[in-house]
Amino acid sequence: MSCKKTEWLKFNASDQEEIAFPLATIEGAKPGPTVTITAGIHGAEYPGIVSAIRLFKELTPETVAGKIQIVTISSLKAFESRSVFVCPVDGKNLNRVFPGDKDGSYTQVLAYHLFNDVILKGNYYLDLHGGDMVEALVPYAMYHKSGNDKIDQKSLEIAKYYGLKYITSSQPDSKTKSGGTYANASEHGIPGALVEVGGIGQLDEESVNLHMKGLYNVLRYLGCLEGEPVIPADQTFYDESVWVYTSKKGIFHTKVSVGDEVSKSQCVGTIEDYFGNQIEESLSPINGKVMVLTTSPAVKDNGQLMKVAGKPRKI
Ligand SMILES: [Zn+2]
């Protein structure tokens, strides 16, 4: 039966703390695939959250084929406390603990239910992200190479149809993969992509519009909505992407801007101690483009400074 509904899924963590997340569903009037959309896996990535809510408000069952299930804010405690990267209840990064553990800590139980009760019930998956409160970025999509060619090809197509200019990938052995939503989804047979738009704690209409354009285009491509999906022109795929870390905590002075092209061994930033002495020089490990940049000068031991994508090719 076609309908639009909102509900709260509620569970208890092992410490008995209640976990809840908002799920909005559109059951279409016509048959079609089930598409899952999650936003707010990181609670301060606002354009994705607001786009997910806007999509639900705009769609009607009459125009939808299949089912679209949207978790509008996955990490509610992080959203409500304006927490950066981690869930404040147990200090874990939700995007590092998938597929979760039903007997684990708060974030692990949350991941378990998001994964088993929502993501695995769909046929396709989109995870809406952006730079967190302390990150600026160039909008890009990421898909996971699970090793299953059919799934991976579909994931790449979904990433392409989101329409952003840049695409990167992750692999089972890469550091960035471990515990990620979209990576685990694709390894469980659900093609999908993670998309990064917006950042530094801003809710800007330009980023929301990019998400909305991408969401509608992918839903057309997957057959949930009428209309021809647009095949994006002039996209660049990066075969390599590397995080630059500081080994020491301190005050980070960047020497680059997000989107800059850098060369291998170029000095991209320095770290000073709290008396102004330079204690580290950060060098780019590859030739490439600065996709994500930490905008806060306060960095931890082994803290992320920037993500550089290299080996570009047109697709
Ligand atoms: Zn994120």
Side-chain angles (χ1 to χ4, degrees):
M1 197 184 64
S2 66
C3 67
K4 256 174 112 162
K5 66 173 178 186
T6 59
E7 63 195 304
W8 285 90
L9 299 196
K10 292 182 180 171
F11 311 94
N12 283 321
S14 49
D15 56 7
Q16 292 310 304
E17 183 142 10
E18 189 181 80
I19 296 173
F21 59 83
L23 178 67
T25 308
I26 304 135
E27 295 263 12
K30 289 163 270 181
T34 295
V35 179
T36 306
I37 297 163
T38 55
I41 291 277
H42 295 127
E45 297 173 359
Y46 304 123
I49 291 170
V50 168
S51 303
I53 293 168
R54 193 178 291 182
L55 181 75
F56 179 69
K57 284 165 79 175
E58 286 182 0
L59 292 177
T60 59
E62 296 71 43
T63 59
V64 170
K67 180 167 148 181
I68 301 170
Q69 43 177 8
I70 307 169
V71 181
T72 56
I73 308 181
S74 303
S75 189
L76 201 64
K77 295 271 188 193
F79 175 81
E80 289 178 342
S81 63
R82 300 174 180 159
S83 179
V84 180
F85 298 126
V86 299
C87 171
V89 180
D90 58 7
K92 288 189 193 304
N93 183 335
L94 178 56
N95 209 27
R96 298 285 178 277
V97 301
F98 281 88
D101 176 357
K102 71 175 177 356
D103 300 316
S105 71
Y106 186 95
T107 304
Q108 290 168 318
V109 177
L110 171 60
Y112 176 86
H113 288 291
L114 280 167
F115 199 65
N116 288 280
D117 301 346
V118 184
I119 296 168
L120 286 188
K121 300 227 159 119
N123 304 111
Y124 304 106
Y125 178 47
L126 272 173
D127 190 19
L128 314 190
H129 285 251
D132 213 312
M133 201 91 81
V134 296
E135 289 175 323
L137 55 76
V138 175
Y140 68 99
M142 208 164 19
Y143 84 102
H144 183 65
K145 290 179 179 170
S146 67
N148 178 323
D149 286 345
K150 217 174 132 199
I151 304 262
D152 296 351
Q153 189 54 35
K154 198 76 183 173
S155 294
L156 173 60
E157 294 288 307
I158 291 169
K160 280 166 70 176
Y161 277 98
Y162 209 77
L164 304 173
K165 205 167 170 194
Y166 304 109
I167 299 173
T168 68
S169 65
S170 62
Q171 288 175 14
D173 59 345
S174 82
K175 229 174 166 180
T176 48
K177 170 258 159 186
S178 64
T181 50
Y182 72 111
N184 277 277
S186 70
E187 286 178 9
H188 284 75
I190 316 261
L194 182 155
V195 291
E196 300 267 13
V197 182
I200 51 171
Q202 303 292 300
L203 174 58
D204 60 300
E205 196 58 22
E206 193 185 335
S207 297
V208 174
N209 283 337
L210 268 182
H211 271 305
M212 295 307 293
K213 226 175 118 189
L215 286 164
Y216 274 94
N217 204 44
V218 168
L219 289 170
R220 287 189 194 106
Y221 165 65
L222 296 175
C224 287
L225 295 177
E226 293 264 324
E228 272 303 300
V230 181
I231 296 172
D234 196 29
Q235 288 182 311
T236 300
F237 184 86
Y238 288 97
D239 277 316
E240 187 176 40
S241 55
V242 186
W243 279 99
V244 181
Y245 295 90
T246 169
S247 66
K248 299 185 180 81
K249 70 176 181 183
I251 300 170
F252 171 46
H253 294 274
T254 183
K255 288 191 184 293
V256 294
S257 300
V258 71
D260 278 2
E261 297 290 336
V262 294
S263 45
K264 190 175 174 178
S265 301
Q266 179 182 330
C267 175
V268 289
T270 57
I271 309 293
E272 288 183 351
D273 68 13
Y274 303 148
F275 296 103
N277 302 303
Q278 184 176 313
I279 50 174
E280 193 164 299
E281 200 177 28
S282 308
L283 307 180
S284 176
I286 57 169
N287 294 324
K289 189 181 196 63
V290 179
M291 303 299 282
V292 182
L293 179 66
T294 297
T295 53
S296 167
V299 292
K300 298 176 182 168
D301 288 328
N302 303 311
Q304 290 180 352
L305 301 180
M306 62 191 72
K307 182 179 187 174
V308 182
K311 297 191 180 157
R313 60 184 162 87
K314 292 287 170 199
I315 46 172

PDB file of all heavy atoms in Angstrom, residues 109-128:
ATOM      1  N   VAL A 109      25.960  -0.904  18.878  1.00  0.00           N
ATOM      2  CA  VAL A 109      24.572  -1.385  18.804  1.00  0.00           C
ATOM      3  C   VAL A 109      23.790  -0.556  17.776  1.00  0.00           C
ATOM      4  O   VAL A 109      23.026  -1.099  16.973  1.00  0.00           O
ATOM      5  CB  VAL A 109      23.885  -1.318  20.194  1.00  0.00           C
ATOM      6  CG1 VAL A 109      22.422  -1.761  20.097  1.00  0.00           C
ATOM      7  CG2 VAL A 109      24.637  -2.180  21.203  1.00  0.00           C
ATOM      8  N   LEU A 110      24.026   0.749  17.787  1.00  0.00           N
ATOM      9  CA  LEU A 110      23.378   1.630  16.800  1.00  0.00           C
ATOM     10  C   LEU A 110      23.736   1.186  15.375  1.00  0.00           C
ATOM     11  O   LEU A 110      22.867   1.042  14.512  1.00  0.00           O
ATOM     12  CB  LEU A 110      23.819   3.088  17.040  1.00  0.00           C
ATOM     13  CG  LEU A 110      23.423   4.128  15.995  1.00  0.00           C
ATOM     14  CD1 LEU A 110      21.907   4.215  15.849  1.00  0.00           C
ATOM     15  CD2 LEU A 110      23.982   5.505  16.377  1.00  0.00           C
ATOM     16  N   ALA A 111      25.035   0.939  15.131  1.00  0.00           N
ATOM     17  CA  ALA A 111      25.483   0.492  13.805  1.00  0.00           C
ATOM     18  C   ALA A 111      24.827  -0.836  13.435  1.00  0.00           C
ATOM     19  O   ALA A 111      24.376  -1.027  12.294  1.00  0.00           O
ATOM     20  CB  ALA A 111      27.006   0.347  13.779  1.00  0.00           C
ATOM     21  N   TYR A 112      24.746  -1.750  14.397  1.00  0.00           N
ATOM     22  CA  TYR A 112      24.146  -3.067  14.141  1.00  0.00           C
ATOM     23  C   TYR A 112      22.707  -2.907  13.619  1.00  0.00           C
ATOM     24  O   TYR A 112      22.308  -3.527  12.635  1.00  0.00           O
ATOM     25  CB  TYR A 112      24.171  -3.917  15.424  1.00  0.00           C
ATOM     26  CG  TYR A 112      23.483  -5.247  15.267  1.00  0.00           C
ATOM     27  CD1 TYR A 112      24.181  -6.356  14.771  1.00  0.00           C
ATOM     28  CD2 TYR A 112      22.124  -5.387  15.558  1.00  0.00           C
ATOM     29  CE1 TYR A 112      23.533  -7.572  14.589  1.00  0.00           C
ATOM     30  CE2 TYR A 112      21.472  -6.602  15.377  1.00  0.00           C
ATOM     31  CZ  TYR A 112      22.184  -7.688  14.891  1.00  0.00           C
ATOM     32  OH  TYR A 112      21.552  -8.884  14.700  1.00  0.00           O
ATOM     33  N   HIS A 113      21.919  -2.062  14.290  1.00  0.00           N
ATOM     34  CA  HIS A 113      20.507  -1.910  13.900  1.00  0.00           C
ATOM     35  C   HIS A 113      20.359  -1.094  12.615  1.00  0.00           C
ATOM     36  O   HIS A 113      19.498  -1.416  11.788  1.00  0.00           O
ATOM     37  CB  HIS A 113      19.699  -1.320  15.056  1.00  0.00           C
ATOM     38  CG  HIS A 113      19.508  -2.306  16.167  1.00  0.00           C
ATOM     39  ND1 HIS A 113      18.706  -3.422  16.028  1.00  0.00           N
ATOM     40  CD2 HIS A 113      20.056  -2.384  17.395  1.00  0.00           C
ATOM     41  CE1 HIS A 113      18.754  -4.137  17.153  1.00  0.00           C
ATOM     42  NE2 HIS A 113      19.571  -3.526  18.000  1.00  0.00           N
ATOM     43  N   LEU A 114      21.165  -0.082  12.446  1.00  0.00           N
ATOM     44  CA  LEU A 114      21.122   0.652  11.169  1.00  0.00           C
ATOM     45  C   LEU A 114      21.421  -0.311  10.026  1.00  0.00           C
ATOM     46  O   LEU A 114      20.763  -0.287   8.982  1.00  0.00           O
ATOM     47  CB  LEU A 114      22.173   1.776  11.162  1.00  0.00           C
ATOM     48  CG  LEU A 114      21.837   3.074  11.898  1.00  0.00           C
ATOM     49  CD1 LEU A 114      23.096   3.921  12.049  1.00  0.00           C
ATOM     50  CD2 LEU A 114      20.759   3.863  11.153  1.00  0.00           C
ATOM     51  N   PHE A 115      22.399  -1.169  10.249  1.00  0.00           N
ATOM     52  CA  PHE A 115      22.840  -2.063   9.182  1.00  0.00           C
ATOM     53  C   PHE A 115      21.827  -3.180   8.917  1.00  0.00           C
ATOM     54  O   PHE A 115      21.401  -3.392   7.785  1.00  0.00           O
ATOM     55  CB  PHE A 115      24.207  -2.658   9.551  1.00  0.00           C
ATOM     56  CG  PHE A 115      24.941  -3.203   8.367  1.00  0.00           C
ATOM     57  CD1 PHE A 115      25.358  -2.361   7.350  1.00  0.00           C
ATOM     58  CD2 PHE A 115      25.231  -4.551   8.253  1.00  0.00           C
ATOM     59  CE1 PHE A 115      26.032  -2.853   6.230  1.00  0.00           C
ATOM     60  CE2 PHE A 115      25.893  -5.048   7.153  1.00  0.00           C
ATOM     61  CZ  PHE A 115      26.298  -4.202   6.143  1.00  0.00           C
ATOM     62  N   ASN A 116      21.431  -3.876   9.974  1.00  0.00           N
ATOM     63  CA  ASN A 116      20.579  -5.056   9.796  1.00  0.00           C
ATOM     64  C   ASN A 116      19.109  -4.725   9.581  1.00  0.00           C
ATOM     65  O   ASN A 116      18.418  -5.412   8.836  1.00  0.00           O
ATOM     66  CB  ASN A 116      20.726  -5.999  10.993  1.00  0.00           C
ATOM     67  CG  ASN A 116      22.071  -6.693  10.964  1.00  0.00           C
ATOM     68  OD1 ASN A 116      22.279  -7.662  10.252  1.00  0.00           O
ATOM     69  ND2 ASN A 116      23.026  -6.150  11.710  1.00  0.00           N
ATOM     70  N   ASP A 117      18.624  -3.678  10.237  1.00  0.00           N
ATOM     71  CA  ASP A 117      17.190  -3.388  10.176  1.00  0.00           C
ATOM     72  C   ASP A 117      16.830  -2.414   9.062  1.00  0.00           C
ATOM     73  O   ASP A 117      15.667  -2.271   8.721  1.00  0.00           O
ATOM     74  CB  ASP A 117      16.706  -2.807  11.520  1.00  0.00           C
ATOM     75  CG  ASP A 117      16.970  -3.770  12.667  1.00  0.00           C
ATOM     76  OD1 ASP A 117      17.270  -4.949  12.387  1.00  0.00           O
ATOM     77  OD2 ASP A 117      16.911  -3.341  13.841  1.00  0.00           O
ATOM     78  N   VAL A 118      17.833  -1.728   8.524  1.00  0.00           N
ATOM     79  CA  VAL A 118      17.534  -0.751   7.471  1.00  0.00           C
ATOM     80  C   VAL A 118      18.366  -1.026   6.211  1.00  0.00           C
ATOM     81  O   VAL A 118      17.829  -1.396   5.169  1.00  0.00           O
ATOM     82  CB  VAL A 118      17.767   0.702   7.969  1.00  0.00           C
ATOM     83  CG1 VAL A 118      17.340   1.694   6.884  1.00  0.00           C
ATOM     84  CG2 VAL A 118      16.995   0.978   9.265  1.00  0.00           C
ATOM     85  N   ILE A 119      19.680  -0.885   6.306  1.00  0.00           N
ATOM     86  CA  ILE A 119      20.527  -0.930   5.103  1.00  0.00           C
ATOM     87  C   ILE A 119      20.418  -2.280   4.372  1.00  0.00           C
ATOM     88  O   ILE A 119      20.243  -2.326   3.152  1.00  0.00           O
ATOM     89  CB  ILE A 119      21.993  -0.603   5.463  1.00  0.00           C
ATOM     90  CG1 ILE A 119      22.087   0.843   5.976  1.00  0.00           C
ATOM     91  CG2 ILE A 119      22.920  -0.809   4.256  1.00  0.00           C
ATOM     92  CD1 ILE A 119      23.420   1.208   6.623  1.00  0.00           C
ATOM     93  N   LEU A 120      20.478  -3.383   5.111  1.00  0.00           N
ATOM     94  CA  LEU A 120      20.420  -4.708   4.458  1.00  0.00           C
ATOM     95  C   LEU A 120      19.031  -5.035   3.907  1.00  0.00           C
ATOM     96  O   LEU A 120      18.864  -5.985   3.158  1.00  0.00           O
ATOM     97  CB  LEU A 120      20.853  -5.814   5.431  1.00  0.00           C
ATOM     98  CG  LEU A 120      22.351  -5.904   5.749  1.00  0.00           C
ATOM     99  CD1 LEU A 120      22.642  -7.158   6.564  1.00  0.00           C
ATOM    100  CD2 LEU A 120      23.210  -5.905   4.491  1.00  0.00           C
ATOM    101  N   LYS A 121      18.018  -4.242   4.267  1.00  0.00           N
ATOM    102  CA  LYS A 121      16.667  -4.485   3.729  1.00  0.00           C
ATOM    103  C   LYS A 121      16.472  -3.788   2.384  1.00  0.00           C
ATOM    104  O   LYS A 121      15.425  -3.929   1.752  1.00  0.00           O
ATOM    105  CB  LYS A 121      15.621  -3.983   4.734  1.00  0.00           C
ATOM    106  CG  LYS A 121      15.749  -4.709   6.081  1.00  0.00           C
ATOM    107  CD  LYS A 121      14.412  -5.168   6.580  1.00  0.00           C
ATOM    108  CE  LYS A 121      14.588  -6.295   7.591  1.00  0.00           C
ATOM    109  NZ  LYS A 121      14.085  -5.998   8.886  1.00  0.00           N
ATOM    110  N   GLY A 122      17.467  -3.005   1.964  1.00  0.00           N
ATOM    111  CA  GLY A 122      17.343  -2.298   0.692  1.00  0.00           C
ATOM    112  C   GLY A 122      18.120  -2.998  -0.412  1.00  0.00           C
ATOM    113  O   GLY A 122      18.877  -3.945  -0.171  1.00  0.00           O
ATOM    114  N   ASN A 123      17.927  -2.506  -1.631  1.00  0.00           N
ATOM    115  CA  ASN A 123      18.673  -3.021  -2.786  1.00  0.00           C
ATOM    116  C   ASN A 123      19.869  -2.140  -3.132  1.00  0.00           C
ATOM    117  O   ASN A 123      20.840  -2.605  -3.723  1.00  0.00           O
ATOM    118  CB  ASN A 123      17.775  -3.105  -4.020  1.00  0.00           C
ATOM    119  CG  ASN A 123      16.534  -3.936  -3.780  1.00  0.00           C
ATOM    120  OD1 ASN A 123      15.417  -3.420  -3.734  1.00  0.00           O
ATOM    121  ND2 ASN A 123      16.732  -5.228  -3.580  1.00  0.00           N
ATOM    122  N   TYR A 124      19.737  -0.845  -2.808  1.00  0.00           N
ATOM    123  CA  TYR A 124      20.806   0.123  -3.104  1.00  0.00           C
ATOM    124  C   TYR A 124      20.954   1.057  -1.911  1.00  0.00           C
ATOM    125  O   TYR A 124      20.019   1.218  -1.122  1.00  0.00           O
ATOM    126  CB  TYR A 124      20.461   0.940  -4.358  1.00  0.00           C
ATOM    127  CG  TYR A 124      20.201   0.081  -5.566  1.00  0.00           C
ATOM    128  CD1 TYR A 124      18.901  -0.111  -6.043  1.00  0.00           C
ATOM    129  CD2 TYR A 124      21.253  -0.560  -6.215  1.00  0.00           C
ATOM    130  CE1 TYR A 124      18.658  -0.923  -7.138  1.00  0.00           C
ATOM    131  CE2 TYR A 124      21.018  -1.367  -7.314  1.00  0.00           C
ATOM    132  CZ  TYR A 124      19.720  -1.551  -7.769  1.00  0.00           C
ATOM    133  OH  TYR A 124      19.485  -2.351  -8.849  1.00  0.00           O
ATOM    134  N   TYR A 125      22.119   1.722  -1.872  1.00  0.00           N
ATOM    135  CA  TYR A 125      22.401   2.509  -0.670  1.00  0.00           C
ATOM    136  C   TYR A 125      23.164   3.791  -0.987  1.00  0.00           C
ATOM    137  O   TYR A 125      24.125   3.783  -1.761  1.00  0.00           O
ATOM    138  CB  TYR A 125      23.237   1.639   0.281  1.00  0.00           C
ATOM    139  CG  TYR A 125      23.651   2.328   1.553  1.00  0.00           C
ATOM    140  CD1 TYR A 125      22.744   3.049   2.307  1.00  0.00           C
ATOM    141  CD2 TYR A 125      24.959   2.248   2.014  1.00  0.00           C
ATOM    142  CE1 TYR A 125      23.121   3.677   3.481  1.00  0.00           C
ATOM    143  CE2 TYR A 125      25.344   2.872   3.186  1.00  0.00           C
ATOM    144  CZ  TYR A 125      24.410   3.592   3.906  1.00  0.00           C
ATOM    145  OH  TYR A 125      24.789   4.215   5.061  1.00  0.00           O
ATOM    146  N   LEU A 126      22.719   4.876  -0.388  1.00  0.00           N
ATOM    147  CA  LEU A 126      23.444   6.151  -0.476  1.00  0.00           C
ATOM    148  C   LEU A 126      23.675   6.681   0.934  1.00  0.00           C
ATOM    149  O   LEU A 126      22.738   6.748   1.742  1.00  0.00           O
ATOM    150  CB  LEU A 126      22.600   7.187  -1.230  1.00  0.00           C
ATOM    151  CG  LEU A 126      22.724   7.230  -2.739  1.00  0.00           C
ATOM    152  CD1 LEU A 126      21.675   8.190  -3.303  1.00  0.00           C
ATOM    153  CD2 LEU A 126      24.129   7.635  -3.179  1.00  0.00           C
ATOM    154  N   ASP A 127      24.906   7.062   1.234  1.00  0.00           N
ATOM    155  CA  ASP A 127      25.251   7.585   2.556  1.00  0.00           C
ATOM    156  C   ASP A 127      25.718   9.040   2.387  1.00  0.00           C
ATOM    157  O   ASP A 127      26.743   9.294   1.756  1.00  0.00           O
ATOM    158  CB  ASP A 127      26.359   6.702   3.160  1.00  0.00           C
ATOM    159  CG  ASP A 127      26.600   7.017   4.621  1.00  0.00           C
ATOM    160  OD1 ASP A 127      25.716   7.624   5.258  1.00  0.00           O
ATOM    161  OD2 ASP A 127      27.672   6.635   5.133  1.00  0.00           O
ATOM    162  N   LEU A 128      24.935   9.969   2.941  1.00  0.00           N
ATOM    163  CA  LEU A 128      25.211  11.396   2.718  1.00  0.00           C
ATOM    164  C   LEU A 128      26.120  11.954   3.816  1.00  0.00           C
ATOM    165  O   LEU A 128      25.756  11.970   4.984  1.00  0.00           O
ATOM    166  CB  LEU A 128      23.910  12.209   2.696  1.00  0.00           C
ATOM    167  CG  LEU A 128      22.733  11.671   1.863  1.00  0.00           C
ATOM    168  CD1 LEU A 128      21.641  12.740   1.776  1.00  0.00           C
ATOM    169  CD2 LEU A 128      23.156  11.233   0.477  1.00  0.00           C
TER     170      LEU A 128
END
